[in-house]
Amino acid sequence: MAVDYAVIVLYLAGMLAMGWWGMRRAKSKSDFLVAGRRLGPVMYSGTMAAIVLGGASTIGGVGLGYRYGLSGAWMVFTIGLGLLALSVFFSARIARLKVYTVSEMLDLRYGGSAGIISGAVMWAYTLMLAVTSTIAYATIFDVLFGMDRTLSIILGGAIVVAYSTLGGMWSITLTDMVQFVVKTIGVLLLLLPLAVIKAGGFAAMKAQLPDDYFAPLGIGGQTVFTYVLIYSFGMLIGQDIWQRVFTARGDKVARLGGTAAGTYCLVYALAGAAIGTAAKVLYPHLGSPDDAFATIVKDALPVGVRGLVLAAALSAVMSTSSGALIACATVAHNDIWARVKRAAGTGAHDGAHDKTHSGARDETHDEVRGNRVFILLMGLAVIVIAIALNNVVEALTLAYNVLVGGLLVPILGGLLWKRGNAAGALASVAVGGLTVIGLMISLGVLANEPIYYGLIASLVAYVAVSLATEPTDPELLTAWRARLAGRPDGAADEDGPESDGPEDDEAGDTAVAVARILAPFPATGRA
C-alpha cells in the first residue's frame, strides 16, 4: 500500500499547489467567481463534467449498479440528460447575462422582487450539497488510511477549503481539470475493463445474475421518472451549475463544451453501473451496495493502479465539494449579505461612475477579499455540519426537492414566458417550496410524491398569479431581452469589458448606455 499512499499524498499536494497558483490569477471579482469568463472548450468541458460527477455519481453509481444492474446507470444518466438540455437550450442565453448568481438573473427578469427569497433557497441547497459531498471524505479516507470519520472530514474539507479560498474559481477550474483526467483514467480506462474482465466478461456476468440486472428499467419506471424530475431539472437551475456556465468564453463554448460534458456523463453512468454489476458477480454478499466501489478497488486492482483509482474517487468528491462551496459562498455574499448591507445603507453603489482608478482598484480588492472570506466561513460551517450530520441521502434529497419544487418554474418561466411577473414568481417559490416541505414531513423525505405535487402547485401558482396581476414593466422586459440576447445595450461586466470575444468588445464600448438602461432597476444583485 505504500505506493498507493504515495499516489494519494502527491495528488493532495498537487491540489494545494493548484490553489496557490490560482491565487495569482484571481485579480478581480470576475476572475475569482467565474474565472474571468474566459474558459475555452477543453477547460470548460472538463470542469463542467467534474462538478456534476461527484461522489454520489462514482461511489453511489457503482452501488446502484451492484443493487440493480445496468439500470443503476439511470441516476447519473439523468444528470447527463439535464446537462445536455441546459447546454443545448439555455446555456448560451445564460452566459450572455453576465451575472454571478441565479438570483441576479431573477432580479433582472422580475425587477428585484424575487431575489432575496430565491437566494435563501439556493443558499440552503448549495450548503447541503457541499455538506453531503464533504461527508464522503469519511468513506474514502477510511478505505485509504483507516482514519477516524471526524478526522477524515476535517482533512478532506480543509484541503478543499484551502485551495478554494486561495484562488476561487481559477483554482477550482485547474483542480477540476486534474480531477477530470484522473477520473477518466482511473474509472473509465482502468477500473471498468479490469472489473469486467475479472468478473469473466459480460457473457459470464449475464449467466450468473438475474435477468433484471440487464433490463433497461430494472430499477423501476417510477424511480427513473423521479430521477428526471430531481436531477435533470436540478441541472437546469442549480447555482453550482450556472456558475460554471458563467465561466464560458462565449456562446459556442457554453453550448458545445456543455454538450461534450453531458455526453461524457452518459458514458460515465454506464461505466459505473457496469462496474457495480461486475462487483455483484465477484462479491455477492456485501453488507451495503455502497461498499462495492471500495471493495472491488481493494481486491481487483494491482498496487499503484489501486491508488490512482482511489484518487479518482477522491477527485469526484473534491470537484463536487469545491463547486458547491464556491456556489454557496457566492450566494451568501452576493445575494444575501450584499442585500443586507444595501438595506442598511452601507453597501457600495452599483456602477463605475465617479470612481478614481485607485478607488476602483480598492473596490475590486475588497470584492475579492469579501468573497474569499465568505468561502472560508462557509467552508468551516460545512465541515462542522458534515461532522454532526449522519443521514446523507435524506439531506441531499431534501435539498434537491426544495430547489426544484421552489425555483424550477420561476426560473424557466422567466426564460420562456414573457407574461410571467414578480408576483407570480414569488407565489411560485412560496407555494412550491411549502408544498414540497409539507409533503416531505407527512409522507417522508424519500417519498416520490412531494416533488410531483410541489412542481404542479408551483406551476399553477406561477401562471394563475401572473395572469391575475399586472404584467412586468415593458421597460424592464426590454432591458431583460437585450441582456438575454447579448446585444451591446444589454450587458456590462462590473469588472470592465472583456477582450476575449467580439460580444465583449462591443459591450465595453457601450458601458454608459448600459448604465442608463439599467439605472431604474438598482436591485440587480450587484454589491
Side-chain angles (χ1 to χ4, degrees), residues 232-300:
S232 295
F233 287 155
M235 289 296 104
L236 299 180
I237 59 175
Q239 169 67 25
D240 51 325
I241 309 302
W242 276 42
Q243 199 157 345
R244 299 309 172 99
V245 176
F246 300 151
T247 66
R249 188 169 58 205
D251 294 0
K252 289 184 178 179
V253 171
R255 185 182 297 110
L256 298 179
T259 301
T263 304
Y264 179 90
C265 291
L266 304 183
V267 175
Y268 200 87
L270 295 172
I275 293 167
T277 305
K280 183 66 176 179
V281 172
L282 296 170
Y283 319 102
H285 304 297
L286 290 179
S288 168
D290 286 341
D291 293 337
F293 180 86
T295 302
I296 199 167
V297 167
K298 289 175 68 176
D299 293 350

Side-chain angles (χ1 to χ4, degrees), residues 5 14 33 63 90 145 223 261 289 298 346 411 417 431 435 448 498 507 525:
Y5 291 159
L33 294 182
F90 301 106
F145 309 114
T223 299
K298 289 175 68 176
T346 60
I411 290 173
W417 190 41
V431 172
T435 300
N448 292 323
E498 304 288 352

